[in-house]
Amino acid sequence: MPILISQAPMSQAAIALNRFGLGARPDEPLPDDPRGWLESQFAHFEARPAAFAATPSRRDVAQQLADYYEATRARRARPAAAVAPAPPTPDGLPAMAAANLAGSPDETRKFIQGEARAAYLSLVEARVASALTTPAPFAERLVHFWANHFAISIDKLPVIGLGGLLEVEAIRPHLTGRFADMLLAVEQHPAMLLYLDQAQSIGPNSPTGTFLANRPNARRRPGLNENLAREILELHTLGVHGGYSQADVTEFARALTGWTVAGISQAPAARRIGLDGPAGDFAFAEPLHEPGTRSIVGRRYGQPGEGQARAVLADLAAHPATATHLATKLARHFAGDDPPRALVDRLSAAYLRSQGDLPTMYRVLIASPETWNPAPLRFKSPWDWSISAARAVGSRQIPGRMAAGLLTQLGQEVWKPGSPAGWDDLDATWAGPDALVRRVEAADRIAARAGTGLDARQLDPRALADRVLPGSISPATQAAVARAESPAQGLALLLASPEFLRR
Amino acid sequence: MPADPLLPVLDRRRLLAGGAMALLAGACPQLAFARAATDRRFVFVIQRGAADGLATLAPTGDPAFAALRGAFADLDGGTPLGDFFTLHPALKQTAQLYAGGEALFVHATASPYRERSHFDGQNVLETGGRAAYALRDGWLNRLLGLLPPAQGKAIALSATVPMVLRGPREVSSYAPSGLPDASADLMARVGAMYAADSRLHALWTEAMATRDMAGDAAGRGGAQRGAQVGALVARMLAEDGARIAVVETQGWDTHAGQKGRLASTLGGVDAQLAALKAGLGPAWADTLVLVATEFGRTAAPNGTGGTDHGTGAVAWLAGGAVQGGRVVADWPGLRPADLFEGRDLRPTTGLDAVVTGALAAHFGLDPAHVARTLFPDGPPKPLEGLLRA
């Protein structure tokens, strides 16, 4: 069915601000040179902006997690403890409990709702504040893009607090660098290692694996865990049709054994295999590593130790299938659900030509005619919409619990896509009837709350409309806003308008 | 840098820390200050969107009225106030207040604003300026400076502080947690805005149909909500509470389908006044309520069963303090030549004169001083005799 869209064509400035950026702020000047403004942002992007100054450190969050596991372990060790049966952890590595409150012991509930939640909310607040105040909103949008590409989901207990740190520590520092470096930083980050169960994967023929297998009364075979290996191939690099087999997954999983996290388990066994470093640091535990040469996607890897999986990652990053996979996702994010083939090819070629230099890809996005189509190309996700609405009313900070609550209501709980595939970044995911009503209700609330402390004229929705969507407001929306019965209602209508819902 | 527009109201701790007055959420607000030295209470009910004065209080005694409004006028079951005016049928409890001498109306009144923008009109209504954006704070905040501290505790029943209360003096605001669903009026406007956008229109239509089935939209009459608001305001103004409150009401911009919508919104205010009286108990005797809007609506209906932006309107005064049972009006007439710019009820009484006269009398202040403070760009001549001596 042809989609009839009532809104006016977007101006170049509106495209730069909204499709590339995170929405206009009334207190910032309009870009005179939209392409130049976007180009200039890579130099202004801050990997660790002030917004993150008060967030908890990885050490602190990981130590809280370690203390929680230690308390759980100690309780299980008490003979008389009458508690729900928990799976044994003979290998001394932490059990990765799902963050499901139903039926969990009080201490689990307390941890999830207490320390872990506090760390999460602090990071949500910082993420939002950074998005509201950044001098480089296009670059900031790309942070959100890569965070979704390398998605974790906080429905798993160990990543409630650590999940947001993956974005801060592994994605932001490499945003304007090479994809291969971002990939390595992500796969070695404790949040990813714990989320995809790599931390507890044991090579069957490794010293620890052999030892555990030979124990009398061994209740289970020590485990090779394929989760991370599979998702790296399927989601992070080659893509689902990227030309790898189940044998490649298993071989890659063997290569990854030994990649784990220090200081999370305080069991004696963990100490014995060298995991007693600072909590939350990446650790390579040689005693867990599967010895031998591996064959993965047509190449042989004879490197010893940690370097084996590193070498695999480097080759995966350089693979043409990875280039196509990343190019398709980036193109979709800016140019629509079914991105033009020419744009995908151009991005992919730029990636391969530059050895995976990310700014080279970003410049292709800026230079391509497909991303400057004056018709709106995307329906905003709840995150996009909420951030752009808060920016439009001049907000610079929103308490973490408020922001988290709003995004949950709108259907996109921060860092909780529910699977390592992340949010699927398709319009149909967000443009649903109930979702639309919720968005209008949220617009009503945001508009009712905006205004205190700002000059009434700054928030006059008639003026604001042209400020946030310069030259891009249809007569119908203009009329609806101007005829509103109050400034607050006019603002709500602006935030709910077809133009504001899309980018 | 201006304060963050979202943060202050979202973070209620700031209000607590502010200390002047802060309401804790929930059913039993506890107020953090000593008992007021005086028991005079003032409630300002703002009708946002331009309420139709000619429908609220119909001048049925004017021979031109029937010609203008004819069958469009909603008079069945209305209450005659004297032989000239008829009160809207939805205002049954207000009619009882009037009969008991506790309500009066000022007809053909308006602020100094003479154009027809809601935003600008509300800005003049609330700042007390002669023109939109000429003053930066609200007249009710300036009034606080004239009152003894214990009397000057004010609260807005909304998420943010409305313009009329903004200014250097500290005030509070409170909205019940779980804010109400977006108003039916907003939903209707959104639906109209999406009409030409096939995708959004389809989504919206489906969503509204689902909601209707779920009964979300139904069963939330204006009266039911008005009674809740009135009871809440009464609690806010309880013994240890605030002395001044501002309530915002919506849904007055009746360009279409006016009859049904106005019956609902007027019924809301009617229920609100009754609940306020019941909730305040003996304190009602020392209470003054002002209901006012930014401007009125066209004298004649338009082609869509509604009225458009106009000029002269009705202001209501209610409460035990009021010398009620009267309609105060220098009636301008409704013949074509009488109408302002040939279309609107001509304002003959300044709303600022009503505000000045009523508040000066209510709080025992010098009327001229009140006029200069509240309306510094053009102090009105106070309208006297509105309250009981």
Side-chain angles (χ1 to χ4, degrees), chain A residues 4 393-397 431 437 441 444 448-449 452 455 462 481 483-487 489 493 496 501-502, chain B residues 4-5 10 48 117-120 122 136 160 179 182 185 189 193-194 197-198 203 207 211 250-253:
Chain A
L4 180 69
V393 302
S395 180
R396 306 187 77 84
Q397 189 173 18
V437 174
E441 287 171 346
D444 191 33
R449 286 169 162 158
T452 298
D455 187 306
R462 294 165 298 186
V481 169
R483 285 185 201 136
E485 71 171 5
S486 65
Q489 191 187 58
L493 286 164
L501 292 174
R502 299 190 176 102
Chain B
D4 191 279
L10 298 181
R48 293 202 187 279
S117 152
H118 292 305
F119 310 160
D120 295 352
Q122 287 169 30
R136 296 183 60 89
T160 55
L179 284 165
D185 180 51
R189 286 169 191 260
M193 184 167 64
Y194 292 166
D197 188 305
S198 69
L203 293 172
R211 281 163 68 97
Q250 281 87 26
W252 302 101
D253 194 19

Side-chain angles (χ1 to χ4, degrees), chain B residues 339-356:
Chain B
L339 298 177
F340 177 71
E341 296 182 352
R343 49 177 269 162
D344 306 336
L345 179 63
R346 179 181 301 281
T348 51
T349 303
L351 184 60
D352 46 7
V354 176
V355 169
T356 305

Side-chain angles (χ1 to χ4, degrees), chain A residues 1-7 379 390 393-399 401-402 427-428 431-434 436-437 440-441 444-446 448-462 476-477 480-487 489-490 492-493 496-498 501-502, chain B residues 1-13 48-50 117-120 122-123 132-134 136 159-161 163 166 179-183 185-187 189-190 193-194 196-200 202-204 206-208 210-211 249-253 255 261 294 309:
Chain A
M1 182 182 86
I3 300 295
L4 180 69
I5 284 176
S6 70
Q7 70 186 71
F379 191 83
V393 302
S395 180
R396 306 187 77 84
Q397 189 173 18
I398 301 174
R401 70 195 133 79
M402 297 287 318
D427 285 358
D434 187 56
L436 187 56
V437 174
V440 171
E441 287 171 346
D444 191 33
R445 264 174 298 164
I446 290 170
R449 286 169 162 158
T452 298
L454 270 191
D455 187 306
R457 232 178 312 193
Q458 265 183 289
L459 275 179
D460 184 325
R462 294 165 298 186
T477 296
V481 169
R483 285 185 201 136
E485 71 171 5
S486 65
Q489 191 187 58
L493 286 164
S497 67
L501 292 174
R502 299 190 176 102
Chain B
M1 187 174 70
D4 191 279
L6 290 180
L7 185 58
V9 294
L10 298 181
D11 192 351
R12 201 142 286 142
R13 283 171 305 180
R48 293 202 187 279
S117 152
H118 292 305
F119 310 160
D120 295 352
Q122 287 169 30
N123 187 270
Y133 311 112
R136 296 183 60 89
T160 55
V161 178
M163 179 52 79
R166 285 194 215 164
L179 284 165
D181 298 338
S183 73
D185 180 51
L186 176 64
M187 297 309 240
R189 286 169 191 260
V190 168
M193 184 167 64
Y194 292 166
D197 188 305
S198 69
R199 184 161 190 183
L200 293 177
L203 293 172
W204 191 253
E206 190 181 331
M208 290 301 107
T210 311
R211 281 163 68 97
T249 62
Q250 281 87 26
W252 302 101
D253 194 19
H255 289 282
R261 293 172 60 191
E294 68 263 31
H309 300 181

Side-chain angles (χ1 to χ4, degrees), chain B residues 5-301:
Chain B
L6 290 180
L7 185 58
V9 294
L10 298 181
D11 192 351
R12 201 142 286 142
R13 283 171 305 180
R14 259 175 71 139
L15 292 174
L16 286 166
M21 75 162 294
L23 281 165
L24 302 173
C28 54
Q30 295 287 319
L31 302 181
F33 46 81
R35 181 177 179 163
T38 152
D39 287 330
R40 297 257 140 182
R41 288 159 172 86
F42 174 60
V43 179
F44 181 21
V45 179
I46 304 176
Q47 297 171 300
R48 293 202 187 279
D52 186 10
L54 290 173
T56 304
L57 184 58
T60 39
D62 187 320
F65 179 75
L68 272 173
R69 292 268 171 132
F72 178 71
D74 199 357
L75 300 171
D76 279 356
T79 310
L81 306 186
D83 53 12
F84 194 82
F85 292 105
T86 303
L87 192 61
H88 192 279
L91 296 175
K92 284 286 188 297
Q93 301 178 94
T94 308
Q96 284 176 20
L97 294 177
Y98 184 95
E102 293 184 337
L104 71 76
F105 297 92
V106 182
H107 217 317
T109 185
S111 80
Y113 180 72
R114 286 295 172 273
E115 288 166 75
R116 294 182 182 86
S117 152
H118 292 305
F119 310 160
D120 295 352
Q122 287 169 30
N123 187 270
V124 171
L125 172 72
E126 296 179 71
T127 58
R130 303 283 307 171
Y133 311 112
L135 298 179
R136 296 183 60 89
D137 49 17
W139 56 259
L140 198 43
N141 193 283
R142 296 196 291 278
L143 176 74
L144 298 180
L146 305 181
L147 301 177
Q151 179 69 58
K153 310 296 186 195
I155 186 163
L157 197 80
S158 48
T160 55
V161 178
M163 179 52 79
V164 71
L165 259 182
R166 285 194 215 164
R169 274 146 199 110
E170 200 154 358
V171 299
S172 188
S173 73
Y174 171 79
S177 61
L179 284 165
D181 298 338
S183 73
D185 180 51
L186 176 64
M187 297 309 240
R189 286 169 191 260
V190 168
M193 184 167 64
Y194 292 166
D197 188 305
S198 69
R199 184 161 190 183
L200 293 177
H201 176 71
L203 293 172
W204 191 253
T205 306
E206 190 181 331
M208 290 301 107
T210 311
R211 281 163 68 97
D212 285 350
M213 274 193 299
D216 281 3
R220 261 179 214 264
Q224 188 191 345
R225 176 153 170 70
Q228 287 169 357
V229 170
L232 183 56
V233 174
R235 287 210 300 281
M236 304 269 179
L237 297 177
E239 199 162 286
D240 296 330
R243 287 295 171 267
I244 290 171
V246 175
V247 180
E248 301 176 276
T249 62
Q250 281 87 26
W252 302 101
D253 194 19
T254 49
H255 289 282
Q258 169 164 317
K259 269 190 169 185
R261 293 172 60 191
L262 208 52
S264 171
T265 46
L266 284 172
V269 177
D270 190 61
Q272 195 183 119
L273 290 179
L276 184 63
K277 176 177 176 171
L280 283 174
W284 175 254
D286 291 321
T287 296
L288 169 67
V289 183
L290 167 68
V291 182
T293 188
E294 68 263 31
F295 45 71
R297 308 193 68 83
T298 48

